[in-house]
Amino acid sequence: MNEVLERESGYFSSQFGGAPDGLWSAPGRVNLIGEHTDYNEGFAFPIAIDKRTTVAARVRADRLLRVTSSSFPGVIEVSLDHLDPDALTGWAAYPLGVAWAMSRAAAGGAGSAAGSGVPSRLSGLDLALTSDVPAGAGLSSSAAVECAVALALNDLWDLGLGRPELARIGQLAENRVVGAPTGIMDQSASLLGEPDHGILLDCQNLTTEAVALGFAGAGVGLLVIDTRTSHSHADGGYASRRRSCEDGARRLGVGSLRALGPADLPRAAAQLDGQTYRRVRHIITENQRVLDTVTALRTSGAATIGRFLNESHLSMRDDFEISTPELDLAVASAQEMGAIGARMTGGGFGGAAIALVRNDDAAAVAAGVARDFARAGYTAPHIFPVTASEGARREL
Ligand code: ADP
Ligand code: MG
């Protein structure tokens, strides 16, 4: 057993006694490009990263769910017979929200009402979480929890659900139980990621395609610059962007903004108020940039995708207005220090930026960003490399 798994098993024993039945893990993700496009049925291109959340789990003889996390104090308990999505709060809403959504799937999609309707064949579980995915940094620690737990429950409850369905279950837990109106991107990346590949996600028909990144061959890599400024998806900013997009689509007579392309921009400009137009323009141009990035990776290589990252950042800063001074500085500073391209990543309003850098420049870019943050009087950022890694898996 490697060190991480030993620590995780040890954590389980310290909380619940004895050994777990198994260990499952799921990674966080960074989105290379394609931001806020998922809930507009557009394209996104995330990678699963080499930071993971692990869940150790053991079947119980009764109907009790007990969950604990090394990131939070206490053990949260709830009976499967009283699993009410409206009563789950705090961090436990993520793992227990998944349990609720899984039990609903096990019941054939029905039975969301109080009284639970959770099938009697499902057993209680002890679940212990550990993680090295930083929470709230835009690297989707939430999806890492959801996907690790979903995979564990799928095995232990013997549900036989496929990964696309597990992704929807994670999203349902986050939307319905946590109350964050997020799209399907994070869970898809965490479940479907592959080493050295990005996952091209078509959020209209939910098809995915692994696209080779070729970073190692091109001598480039990704740096994450976590600004350590907080964001909250559940908050107004994300929801209001989502509403603007829905409003724009309705006023332009389409079911979702996916139906529109660059040729529709003049009509959109004529029909929409200035702010809604800019929101719509971000989505339309961002979808195109995702496709352009994938084409560039396939034809001219990783060193040629920088301009799409840079343009994506400007679009988020100026049109979608989800960036922050810290994220703008991280991007500008990385670019000045020779990054091939840089952009904020994730939902916005804080969190992390990414920079695509030549391996030879990585140290200088990191040092330059740290220096500029110090000069600006900002909290020192966490800067670290990430590599595209395998999606959720059973470890033991
Ligand atoms: P992000 O997904 O970008 O990290 P979110 O706000 O979506 O940020 O999710 C962060 C929340 O997910 C945390 O506040 C916590 O409630 C939950 N979470 C993340 N990691 C863990 C963990 N290891 N254990 C328990 N809860 C976690
Ligand atoms: Mg999240």
Side-chain angles (χ1 to χ4, degrees):
M1 211 191 307
N2 75 29
E3 216 175 281
V4 175
L5 300 183
E6 227 163 83
R7 205 183 324 132
E8 167 63 19
S9 258
Y11 176 65
F12 180 95
S13 307
S14 74
Q15 298 296 302
F16 298 123
D21 291 337
L23 294 182
W24 293 258
S25 77
R29 62 98 188 92
V30 295
N31 191 20
L32 202 52
I33 193 160
E35 218 66 76
H36 284 257
T37 45
D38 59 352
Y39 58 78
N40 288 295
E41 300 191 354
F43 298 104
F45 190 47
I47 65 170
I49 60 174
D50 52 328
K51 295 195 177 293
R52 308 181 74 89
T53 295
T54 303
V55 62
R58 184 174 60 200
V59 167
R60 294 175 58 89
D62 59 17
R63 294 269 280 175
L64 208 55
L65 293 174
R66 295 199 298 175
V67 57
T68 179
S69 166
S70 61
S71 309
F72 296 90
V75 177
I76 311 291
E77 292 190 3
V78 59
S79 163
L80 275 168
D81 298 312
H82 302 107
L83 201 52
D84 174 1
D86 295 315
L88 302 171
T89 55
W91 67 267
Y94 293 85
L96 295 177
V98 168
W100 168 78
M102 296 285 288
S103 69
R104 206 163 162 265
S112 64
S116 105
V118 173
S120 55
R121 66 189 159 84
L122 301 185
S123 54
L125 299 163
D126 289 334
L127 304 167
L129 292 161
T130 58
S131 181
D132 65 355
V133 187
L139 303 181
S140 210
S141 66
S142 56
V145 170
E146 291 153 10
C147 295
V149 171
L151 204 64
L153 270 53
N154 197 36
D155 283 355
L156 292 174
W157 283 348
D158 200 16
L159 299 180
L161 302 172
R163 290 190 178 226
E165 194 160 356
L166 296 181
R168 282 192 290 275
I169 280 171
Q171 186 194 9
L172 177 64
E174 190 144 347
N175 292 170
R176 174 68 181 83
V177 182
V178 176
T182 49
I184 191 80
M185 170 176 64
D186 299 353
Q187 295 81 6
S188 301
S190 183
L191 283 158
L192 300 169
E194 291 182 23
D196 309 316
H197 284 70
I199 303 300
L200 174 61
L201 200 58
D202 180 338
C203 301
Q204 185 158 52
N205 49 29
L206 296 181
T207 54
T208 59
E209 187 182 353
V211 177
L213 295 170
F215 282 1
V220 305
L222 270 184
L223 285 181
V224 168
I225 304 160
D226 175 6
T227 65
R228 299 167 71 198
T229 49
S230 67
H231 73 112
S232 171
H233 281 166
D235 244 14
Y238 191 100
S240 86
R241 296 310 180 281
R242 199 170 168 143
R243 273 196 306 278
S244 288
C245 291
E246 285 160 5
D247 190 37
R250 193 172 37 74
R251 283 155 66 187
L252 292 165
V254 290
S256 78
L257 295 180
R258 167 62 178 278
L260 305 175
D264 296 297
L265 285 171
R267 177 168 76 91
Q271 275 178 249
L272 301 174
D273 65 274
Q275 188 187 71
T276 308
Y277 172 63
R278 284 184 289 112
R279 305 292 190 249
V280 166
R281 181 166 64 182
H282 166 71
I283 300 300
I284 290 176
T285 59
E286 186 79 350
N287 278 330
Q288 189 59 47
R289 282 186 289 271
V290 173
L291 299 177
D292 289 345
T293 299
V294 167
T295 301
L297 283 172
R298 285 175 168 150
T299 56
S300 45
T304 68
I305 67 170
R307 64 172 263 232
F308 305 119
L309 305 183
N310 295 336
E311 286 168 9
S312 172
H313 185 76
L314 291 180
S315 182
M316 289 187 285
R317 187 189 72 183
D318 301 335
D319 276 358
F320 223 56
E321 295 180 278
I322 55 174
S323 192
T324 62
E326 292 87 353
L327 287 167
D328 290 340
L329 181 63
V331 166
S333 175
Q335 288 165 339
E336 256 163 55
M337 295 305 295
I340 294 164
R343 60 187 287 277
M344 55 148 281
T345 186
F349 310 104
I354 52 169
L356 182 67
V357 297
R358 285 171 205 84
N359 292 333
D360 291 343
D361 297 337
V365 170
V369 172
R371 177 203 61 212
D372 289 347
F373 268 60
R375 279 188 189 152
Y378 294 158
T379 303
H382 279 155
I383 305 176
F384 51 90
V386 290
T387 54
S389 302
E390 194 185 337
R393 63 184 179 226
R394 183 165 191 164
E395 301 280 359
L396 213 68

